[in-house]
Each structure stands twice: as C-alpha cells, then as structure tokens.
Amino acid sequence: IVDRRKKRYLEGRIFITNDRLFSNDGFNKGNRRVVVLNNDKSEAVICKIKSLKDKEGNLRQKLIPIERYPCLTKPSGVDPNLRKRTNKGGKINLQKMQPTASRLNKWDMKKVKEGIKNNKK
C-alpha cells in the first residue's frame, strides 16, 4: 500500500518569535516573522522577514522582496543573512516558536535561496 498523503516539510514555513534570540543588527522586534530554510526541528536555519521600508520610509536595498502573505502586515522582504545559532550560541529550536498558517511559495523560495547564495560570495 502506497501512502499518497503530502509530506509536511518545514522548509518555507513562516514562524513568529521574539528578536532577542538572534538580533544584533539594531532591529529588535517583539513578534518577528522568520522563514525556515531547512527541515530540522531541533537545529533550524532561519532568515528574518523585514518590511521593505525602514523607519524613515526609505527602501532597504539588501532585502529579497516576497509576495504578500496573510501573516505579513506590510510589503516585506527576506534578510539574506542566515541564522544558524542564537546569540548565546545555542541551537534554534522551532518548538519554542509560534507557527503561522503561511508558507512561502516555490517562486519566493527560489528567489530567497538564490539571494542567499549570492550574499555568501
């Protein structure tokens, strides 16, 4: 018997967390949206989601723009800096984050992965 149910992958899911875990760029936010880039619950690799405009209304240049999703309140983009560890050096555990019903579509995931590869050079 073949199981035809769709596998539930974590990759591309959007979670809500506080920014104290991994923020050292001056943008502390209470309910930060992050996107998961791998399928490991206990050792996640994430990127922050930020609004396309900063406090002064200027466009942020380094963000990878994504479409509008129900859990995002403003036009947003993904920060190309990967986060693999917390500020204190611990692993990022997804079970301590609040899940949303949204996930990036395959075109946005492709843009994000290409943008991160270009950022590493």
Side-chain angles (χ1 to χ4, degrees):
I1 298 173
V2 178
D3 191 12
R4 296 186 194 273
R5 283 181 290 181
K6 185 177 179 183
K7 291 185 179 177
R8 296 291 175 198
Y9 291 114
L10 293 170
E11 188 177 36
R13 289 284 308 264
I14 298 175
F15 284 83
I16 298 175
T17 183
N18 60 350
D19 232 5
R20 287 187 309 233
L21 289 176
F22 34 75
S23 180
N24 52 9
D25 59 357
F27 294 104
N28 278 328
K29 187 172 183 314
N31 289 325
R32 166 75 66 198
R33 268 62 173 176
V34 294
V35 63
V36 180
L37 297 175
N38 67 348
N39 284 317
D40 192 1
K41 281 184 184 176
S42 60
E43 229 176 302
V45 176
I46 62 169
C47 284
K48 290 184 185 182
I49 296 177
K50 297 181 178 181
S51 66
L52 286 176
K53 294 184 179 181
D54 59 7
K55 291 178 183 174
E56 287 81 37
N58 302 323
L59 278 176
R60 293 187 176 137
Q61 298 298 321
K62 295 185 177 183
L63 294 185
I64 304 162
I66 57 174
E67 293 181 18
R68 294 291 298 261
Y69 293 97
C71 69
L72 303 175
T73 57
K74 301 176 183 176
S76 303
V78 176
D79 190 24
N81 298 320
L82 284 177
R83 304 273 194 267
K84 295 182 181 179
R85 297 270 176 193
T86 62
N87 276 348
K88 296 180 181 178
K91 299 173 186 174
I92 297 173
N93 192 347
L94 290 182
Q95 290 161 339
K96 296 180 180 174
M97 296 184 190
Q98 178 183 347
T100 63
S102 301
R103 94 182 311 127
L104 297 186
N105 60 27
K106 60 184 177 184
W107 298 281
D108 279 344
M109 276 304 290
K110 185 177 178 188
K111 278 197 299 188
V112 168
K113 286 189 173 184
E114 287 175 359
I116 289 170
K117 284 180 190 171
N118 294 338
N119 187 39
K120 285 185 176 179
K121 291 180 183 176

